[in-house]
């Protein structure tokens, strides 16, 4: 981009010339000359002296295509309820520009246009592009995979295994062709297994691949504690480990009300009831909504993770991360507390667990392994080399 200054009746003065002149005047001690000569410039909107069509009106104009941008770009794969809501969160929270991709022609374009038309009300300048072409994801900083079939009443997350496995395998390979250095964040269910599939398909290092589960599950745990006690959600901190499913491991010992353990306020029966509702949180919503699963809370959970990464905020959040001996587990993606930053997962934090908590985490991991083995067998039978 070249910004050209012109004092009325004189030749064009480029920004580089302007800076040289400023330095010359400063070196010569002519501060007053500097003020009188340069602060009274009348700016011409021309970007080059050879542009005859440029407006002769005084003032300075920057053409949008010439304004360099360091804005982060996020690709959201899947324009269903979760993907569309996440796109809204990222734009309206001023986190990133978004490329929203879906295989259904018109769907991502319509969602993107609708959200763009809300900018005047929401007061942000984020760019949102809807597309059916993976080429439009070129060189994005982060990819969020939400594509896949949603749960229906009576279905478990594991019932989606083969169908969503094929989808995640395909979209990961295709998006990596155009954004090979992006960080990958998986939302598709069954979450822990799909994250493993995406990692294998992407060939990315383990710190650049993660799944969203623990942030959502912990938020649900927080909500139910706050509802039970009748206190502000802002005073509640909660922690959930393990798989994103019925075998997740809420940790009451690590859950507090303004730093005070919840067992100071709740008896064992109340805590057990809240833990059970947290584990059943997704199914409860599916039963109520009838035609799909949750999307507002999942989108908010993903947005928190994306924000931590894009803005390099070192947050400690529970995410599905690849384990290499932590918690006694190997070669598996499972929900554990991690430190997030600009490079993805900076470190995995190991909490001290009781024998019962460790046993529950092992049971959760065993279920994920079984599903992964099932999926690998099904994909191989389908002729997909995984």
């Amino acid at each position: 981009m070249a910004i050209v200054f012109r004092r009325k009746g004189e030749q064009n003065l480029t920004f580089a010339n302007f800076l040289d002149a400023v330095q010359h005047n400063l070196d010569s001690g002519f501060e007053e000359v500097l003020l009188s000569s340069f602060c009274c410039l009348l700016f011409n909107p021309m970007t080059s002296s050879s542009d005859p069509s440029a407006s002769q009106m005084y003032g300075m104009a920057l053409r949008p295509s010439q304004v360099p941008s360091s804005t982060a770009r996020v690709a959201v794969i899947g324009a269903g309820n979760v993907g569309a809501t996440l796109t809204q969160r990222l734009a309206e929270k001023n986190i990133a520009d978004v490329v929203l991709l879906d295989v259904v022609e018109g769907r991502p374009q319509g969602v993107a246009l609708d959200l763009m038309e809300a900018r005047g009300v929401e007061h942000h300048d984020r760019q949102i592009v809807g597309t059916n072409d993976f080429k439009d994801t070129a060189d994005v900083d982060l990819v969020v995979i939400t594509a896949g079939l949603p749960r229906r009443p009576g279905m478990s997350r594991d019932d989606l295994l083969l169908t969503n496995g094929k989808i995640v395998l395909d979209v990961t390979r295709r998006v990596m062709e155009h954004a090979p250095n992006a960080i990958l964040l998986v939302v598709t269910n069954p979450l822990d297994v799909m994250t493993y599939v995406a990692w294998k398909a992407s060939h990315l290092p383990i710190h650049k691949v993660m799944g969203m589960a623990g942030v959502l599950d912990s938020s649900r745990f927080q909500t139910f504690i706050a509802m039970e006690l009748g206190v502000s959600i802002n005073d509640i901190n909660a922690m959930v480990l393990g798989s994103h499913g019925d075998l997740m491991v809420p940790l009451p010992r690590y859950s507090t009300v303004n730093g005070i353990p919840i067992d100071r306020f709740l008896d064992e029966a109340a805590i057990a009831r809240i833990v059970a509702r947290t584990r059943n949180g997704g199914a409860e919503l599916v039963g109520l909504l009838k035609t799909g699963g949750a999307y507002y809370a999942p989108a908010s959970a993903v947005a928190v993770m994306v924000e931590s990464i894009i803005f390099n905020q070192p947050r400690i959040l529970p995410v599905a991360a690849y384990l290499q001996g932590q918690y006694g587990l190997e070669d598996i993606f499972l929900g554990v507390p991690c430190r997030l930053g600009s490079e993805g997962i900076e470190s995995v934090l190991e909490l001290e667990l009781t024998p019962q908590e460790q046993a529950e985490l092992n049971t959760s991991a065993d279920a994920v392994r079984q599903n992964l083995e099932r999926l690998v067998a099904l994909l191989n039978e389908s002729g997909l080399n995984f």
Side-chain angles (χ1 to χ4, degrees):
M1 176 184 69
I3 303 175
V4 177
F5 301 85
R6 173 184 288 171
R7 190 162 54 185
K8 194 172 182 180
E10 297 183 1
Q11 293 184 342
N12 288 343
L13 178 66
T14 66
F15 190 60
N17 297 146
F18 174 79
L19 292 179
D20 289 341
V22 169
Q23 187 61 51
H24 172 74
N25 279 276
L26 289 175
D27 291 342
S28 303
F30 295 145
E31 291 86 357
E32 292 184 5
V33 175
L34 170 68
L35 289 172
S36 62
S37 298
F38 295 102
C39 292
C40 296
L41 283 173
L42 297 176
F43 298 119
N44 188 292
M46 295 173 63
T47 56
S48 73
S49 60
S50 62
D51 184 359
S53 64
S55 169
Q56 297 303 312
M57 294 179 62
Y58 294 130
M60 184 173 69
L62 296 181
R63 298 176 182 175
S65 61
Q66 296 172 315
V67 179
S69 174
S70 59
T71 299
R73 294 172 66 239
V74 173
V76 177
I77 312 300
N81 287 336
V82 175
T85 307
L86 173 60
T87 299
Q88 180 183 23
R89 296 277 194 269
L90 295 178
E92 294 180 359
K93 287 178 176 287
N94 208 29
I95 295 172
D97 290 346
V98 181
V99 178
L100 179 62
L101 185 146
D102 199 283
V103 295
V104 178
E105 189 172 343
R107 168 69 182 177
Q109 292 88 345
V111 171
L113 180 58
D114 196 12
L115 290 172
M116 286 287 284
E117 290 171 351
R119 295 191 307 168
V121 180
E122 298 296 338
H123 304 293
H124 69 84
D125 289 307
R126 292 300 182 181
Q127 298 297 312
I128 306 165
V129 176
T131 184
N132 308 112
D133 191 342
F134 278 87
K135 291 180 181 178
D136 292 322
T137 66
D139 299 322
V140 296
D141 301 286
L142 194 148
V143 175
V144 182
I145 299 178
T146 72
L149 295 182
R151 292 169 69 185
R152 306 291 183 188
M155 295 176 67
S156 71
R157 293 180 179 89
D158 297 341
D159 292 332
L160 304 171
L161 201 58
L162 179 58
T163 300
N164 284 355
K166 289 180 177 179
I167 292 171
V168 169
L169 187 62
D170 177 59
V171 301
T172 302
R173 287 172 173 170
R174 295 175 70 182
V175 78
M176 283 295 108
E177 291 177 7
H178 303 285
N181 298 314
I183 291 171
L184 196 56
L185 201 165
V186 182
V187 184
T188 306
N189 281 317
L191 187 281
D192 308 272
V193 175
M194 294 301 111
T195 307
Y196 194 99
V197 170
W199 170 59
K200 281 291 190 181
S202 70
H203 303 290
L204 287 171
I206 57 174
H207 70 274
K208 299 189 77 169
V209 182
M210 68 196 77
M212 186 289 297
V215 176
L216 171 60
D217 296 331
S218 296
S219 179
R220 286 173 173 163
F221 197 21
Q222 268 182 289
T223 298
F224 300 144
I225 293 170
M227 290 167 62
E228 184 77 16
L229 294 176
V231 300
S232 170
I233 193 75
N234 294 319
D235 283 344
I236 308 296
N237 284 299
M239 178 63 66
V240 178
L241 304 186
S243 64
H244 184 50
D246 300 340
L247 295 176
M248 68 180 69
V249 186
L251 295 178
R253 285 196 312 118
Y254 286 97
S255 302
T256 64
V257 182
N258 204 13
I260 305 169
I262 62 171
D263 61 8
R264 297 287 299 272
F265 302 95
L266 299 168
D267 59 28
E268 290 185 7
I271 293 174
R273 184 174 66 251
I274 293 171
V275 166
R277 190 177 185 188
T278 301
R279 286 174 170 155
N280 195 51
E284 181 180 1
L285 282 163
V286 170
L288 292 169
L289 295 172
K290 309 298 183 189
T291 58
Y295 49 95
Y296 292 121
S300 293
V302 178
V304 167
M305 296 173 66
V306 173
E307 183 179 39
S308 176
I309 294 167
I310 293 299
F311 294 131
N312 195 27
Q313 298 172 346
R315 298 287 305 275
I316 306 299
L317 297 171
V319 304
Y322 186 80
L323 300 182
Q324 303 177 93
Q326 298 95 334
Y327 296 95
L329 300 169
E330 297 266 4
D331 191 29
I332 190 172
F333 277 86
L334 203 64
V336 292
C338 298
R339 178 186 169 110
L340 298 186
S342 61
E343 293 301 312
I345 297 175
E346 296 183 347
S347 61
V348 174
L349 281 70
E350 290 194 73
L351 303 178
E352 275 190 32
L353 301 182
T354 66
Q356 180 180 347
E357 291 165 345
Q358 184 65 55
E360 291 178 358
L361 188 62
N362 291 343
T363 299
S364 185
D366 289 342
V368 172
R369 288 190 195 283
Q370 290 172 11
N371 276 332
L372 180 59
E373 290 171 0
R374 282 177 54 208
L375 178 58
V376 170
L378 291 170
L379 288 174
N380 290 336
E381 290 173 7
S382 301
L384 297 172
N385 297 321
F386 173 70

